[in-house]
C-alpha cells in the first residue's frame, strides 16, 4: 500500500523538492502550510506539484492543531521542515525563533507520541549547530558550538529528537544538513541574493550588489539531492543521525566571482574592509559594495562537512558541486528575469 507522508513547512525550498521526490516514490503527500492572508505556493507551482499535494493548514506553534492534522491524515512519516530558518532574523526575533524552531519540535513530537508513536520522524537539524567549529571537517560526533539564536534553537530540536527516540522509542532521525541551495532558495539567503543580483546586473536591471561578510565559507550543496538523504534516513531499519554535505567549502566571495564569470563578467577586488569593492575589470564600473548592515552579531566563519556515514549507511553522496550549483542558480534567475520583462 502507498505510504503517506506529512511535511511541515511544505511551502519552503526543501518542502517543495521533498514533495516532488515523494511523488516519484508513489507516496500520498500531505503538505502543512501556515495560514496567511496570501499563502505562498510559488515553489510548488514551479515544480508543478501543487495540485497533487493535499494541503493542510498547520502551524507548529499550536499543538492541538498538529494533533488534529495527524489524526486526520494518518501519516507513516512526518518530515519536520518548518522553521524560522533565517539566521540573521533570529538575532532580531530570538523569542519567536525559539518558539518555532525549538519548541515547535516539541509540539510535533508530542503530537506524534499522542496520535501514533509508530510514525517515523525526520528533524531538519543544521550545520549551524557546529558554529564556532571544534574540528574540521565536522561529522556526527563533532561537539556543537551554536553562534546564533537560530543555531541554539536547532540544537534543542536536535537533542529532543534523540531524547524522544531514547525515551519513547520513536523512530526519529536528525539530518544535520549543511547549506543546500537551488533556484527555489529564498531571496534573503546569500546564494540566491547573489544569483538574482548578478542576473539583474547582467541584464541591466540593477547597478550593483550590496553584501556583508564575503570571507565566510560554506559547504554548499544542491537541495534537490539533499532531500533524497532525508527520505533515505527514514527507510533504514534503525533510526540514526546523519551529516549531509559536499565536503568542499567556498567563500561568499568565490560565489560572487563565479556567478559573474558565468555571465561573462570578470570582477576585480579593490580596497579593504568595509571599503572593499568589486569592479568590472573591463569597464571599471562598481558591481559589488559592502554594507555593514548585513554583518551578524555572531558569525560562523567556516563550515565543512564529512558525509562518510551517510555514504556508508544510506548510499547517499552529492553529485552537483559548487561551480555547477552557481551556474544552475544564475541561469535560472537570468531566465526568470528575462521572462518577467
Ligand atoms: P525555508 O525557510 O525555505 O522554509 C521554512 C518553512 O517553514 C516554510 O514553509 C515556512 O512557511 C515554514 N514555517 C515557518 N514558521 C512556521 C510555523 N510557525 N508553522 C508552520 N510552518 C512554518 O527553509 P528550507 O526549506 O531551506 O529548510 C527546511 C528546513 O531545514 C528548515 O527547518 C531549516 O531550518 C532547515 N535547514 C535548512 C538548510 C538549508 O541550507 N536550506 C540547512 C540545514 C537545515 P512560510 O512559507 O509560510 O514562511
Ligand atoms: P546561513 O545562510 O546563515 O549559512 O544559514 P546565509 O545564506 O544567510 O548566510 C551564509 C553566509 O553568508 C554571509 N553573508 C550574507 N548572508 C546573507 N543572507 N546576506 C548577505 O548579504 C550576506 N553577506 C554575507 C553570512 O554572514 C553567512 O556567513 C543557512 C540557512 O538555510 C539555515 O536555515 C541553515 O540551517 C544553514 O544555512 C545551514
Amino acid at each position: 500500500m502507498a505510504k503517506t507522508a506529512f511535511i511541515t513547512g511544505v511551502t519552503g525550498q526543501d518542502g517543495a523538492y521533498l514533495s516532488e521526490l515523494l511523488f516519484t516514490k508513489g507516496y500520498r503527500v500531505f503538505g502543512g502550510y501556515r495560514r496567511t492572508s496570501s499563502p505562498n505556493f510559488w515553489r510548488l507551482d514551479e515544480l508543478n506539484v501543487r495540485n497533487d499535494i493535499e494541503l493542510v493548514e498547520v502551524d507548529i506553534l499550536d499543538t492541538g492543531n498538529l494533533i488534529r492534522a495527524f489524526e486526520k491524515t494518518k501519516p507513516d512519516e512526518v518530515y519536520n521542515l518548518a522553521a524560522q530558518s533565517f539566521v540573521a532574523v533570529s538575532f532580531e526575533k530570538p523569542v519567536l525563533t525559539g518558539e518555532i524552531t525549538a519548541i515547535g519540535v516539541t509540539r510535533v513530537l508530542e503530537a506524534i507520541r499522542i496520535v501514533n508513536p509508530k510514525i517515523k520522524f525526520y528533524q531538519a537539524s543544521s550545520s549551524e549547530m557546529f558554529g564556532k567549529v571544534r574540528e574540521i571537517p565536522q561529522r556526527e560526533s563533532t561537539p556543537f558550538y551554536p553562534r546564533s539564536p537560530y543555531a541554539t534553537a536547532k540544537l534543542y530540536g536536535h537533542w529532543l529528537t534523540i531524547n524522544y527516540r531514547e525515551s519513547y522509542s520513536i523512530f526519529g532521525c536528525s539530518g544535520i544538513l549543511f547549506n543546500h541551495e537551488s533556484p527555489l532558495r529564498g531571496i534573503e539567503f546569500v546564494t540566491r541574493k547573489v544569483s538574482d543580483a548578478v542576473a539583474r546586473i547582467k541584464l541591466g536591471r540593477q547597478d550593483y550588489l550590496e553584501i556583508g561578510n564575503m570571507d565566510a565559507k560554506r559547504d554548499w550543496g544542491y537541495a534537490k539531492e539533499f532531500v533524497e538523504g532525508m527520505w533515505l534516513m527514514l527507510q533504514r531499519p534503525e533510526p540514526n543521525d546523519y551529516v549531509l554535505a559536499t565536503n568542499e567549502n567556498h567563500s561568499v566571495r568565490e560565489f560572487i566571482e563565479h556567478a559573474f564569470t558565468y555571465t561573462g563578467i570578470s570582477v576585480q577586488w579593490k580596497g579593504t574592509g568595509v571599503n572593499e569593492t568589486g569592479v568590472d575589470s573591463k569597464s571599471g564600473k562598481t558591481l559589488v559594495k559592502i554594507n555593514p548592515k548585513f554583518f551578524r552579531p555572531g558569525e560562523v566563519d567556516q563550515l565543512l562537512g564529512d558525509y562518510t556515514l551517510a555514504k556508508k549507511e544510506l548510499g547517499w553522496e552529492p553529485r552537483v558541486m559548487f561551480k555547477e550549483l552557481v551556474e544552475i542558480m544564475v541561469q535560472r534567475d537570468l531566465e526568470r528575469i528575462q521572462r518577467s520583462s
Side-chain angles (χ1 to χ4, degrees):
M1 210 175 73
K3 282 199 220 168
T4 299
F6 195 107
I7 303 172
T8 71
V10 79
T11 55
Q13 170 188 257
D14 291 6
Y17 282 118
L18 181 61
S19 306
E20 182 185 55
L21 175 80
L22 294 178
F23 285 129
T24 68
K25 306 213 173 280
Y27 275 68
R28 182 173 182 193
V29 178
F30 289 98
Y33 72 103
R34 58 178 167 174
R35 206 209 85 81
T36 57
S37 57
S38 43
N40 76 75
F41 294 131
W42 69 272
R43 294 181 174 95
L44 306 182
D45 288 333
E46 283 225 3
L47 296 186
N48 206 16
V49 290
R50 179 165 162 186
N51 292 335
D52 296 324
I53 296 173
E54 297 175 59
L55 290 161
V56 182
E57 260 184 36
V58 152
D59 200 308
I60 66 164
L61 293 176
D62 190 319
T63 316
N65 187 204
L66 285 161
I67 291 173
R68 273 191 293 280
F70 296 162
E71 276 174 350
K72 271 193 202 145
T73 60
K74 301 187 175 26
D76 301 298
E77 299 172 1
V78 168
Y79 295 85
N80 183 38
L81 307 185
Q84 190 304 93
S85 73
F86 192 26
V87 173
V89 160
S90 79
F91 288 101
E92 301 299 323
K93 298 177 180 170
V95 175
L96 182 65
T97 300
E99 283 292 347
I100 299 173
T101 307
I103 307 299
V105 186
T106 320
R107 298 190 188 94
V108 177
L109 278 167
E110 272 297 280
I112 288 176
R113 191 180 65 81
I114 292 164
V115 174
N116 173 13
K118 291 206 169 10
I119 294 171
K120 293 185 176 178
F121 175 72
Y122 173 84
Q123 168 58 16
S125 284
S126 165
S127 54
E128 280 294 295
M129 302 186 307
F130 296 122
K132 192 170 175 182
V133 299
R134 306 283 90 188
E135 70 176 332
I136 299 171
Q138 297 86 53
R139 51 181 71 90
E140 293 78 6
S141 57
T142 302
F144 299 114
Y145 195 137
R147 293 272 283 167
S148 62
Y150 166 80
T152 311
K154 278 288 175 190
L155 196 50
Y156 174 97
H158 181 73
W159 280 112
L160 200 78
T161 302
I162 295 168
N163 183 250
Y164 270 55
R165 184 161 81 207
E166 293 175 356
S167 306
Y168 306 115
S169 301
I170 285 177
F171 191 111
C173 295
S174 181
I176 308 175
L177 271 51
F178 281 63
N179 297 54
H180 44 278
E181 319 292 316
S182 74
L184 300 186
R185 188 57 142 153
I187 197 86
E188 69 275 33
F189 298 98
V190 77
T191 54
R192 183 73 208 298
K193 178 176 170 177
V194 171
S195 66
D196 178 71
V198 167
R200 283 177 195 282
I201 291 168
K202 174 69 184 176
L203 298 172
R205 313 283 172 87
Q206 187 173 324
D207 290 333
Y208 55 84
L209 161 70
E210 279 195 324
I211 202 83
N213 174 16
M214 288 197 293
D215 296 319
K217 285 186 165 181
R218 289 293 183 275
D219 180 330
W220 279 300
Y222 186 28
K224 195 174 158 74
E225 298 176 352
F226 279 51
V227 300
E228 291 170 14
M230 296 177 184
W231 175 76
L232 284 167
M233 288 179 211
L234 296 197
Q235 313 314 308
R236 293 280 304 162
E238 296 298 328
N240 202 353
D241 308 319
Y242 297 93
V243 160
L244 301 185
T246 69
N247 196 232
E248 252 188 37
N249 68 10
H250 297 271
S251 63
V252 171
R253 184 188 302 275
E254 284 172 79
F255 196 103
I256 297 170
E257 282 168 1
H258 192 63
F260 274 116
T261 303
Y262 179 69
T263 68
I265 299 171
S266 156
V267 181
Q268 237 182 345
W269 301 105
K270 294 198 167 155
T272 53
V274 291
N275 297 318
E276 185 172 6
T277 54
V279 299
D280 183 331
S281 61
K282 273 199 195 131
S283 66
K285 191 172 166 266
T286 299
L287 302 176
V288 185
K289 291 182 187 176
I290 305 290
N291 187 334
K293 95 171 176 199
F294 297 112
F295 293 161
R296 294 177 182 177
E299 179 60 292
V300 172
D301 297 325
Q302 53 157 330
L303 291 171
L304 181 67
D306 176 351
Y307 62 89
T308 307
L309 186 67
K311 187 175 175 187
K312 183 165 161 256
E313 293 194 356
L314 307 176
W316 182 91
E317 52 186 329
R319 300 181 293 274
V320 170
M321 303 301 276
F322 178 70
K323 283 197 169 166
E324 194 186 348
L325 175 66
V326 178
E327 291 166 15
I328 290 171
M329 292 180 70
V330 176
Q331 182 57 37
R332 191 76 188 91
D333 276 322
L334 283 166
E335 288 163 9
R336 274 189 187 124
I337 295 159
Q338 269 165 332
R339 223 183 24 213
S340 71
S341 62

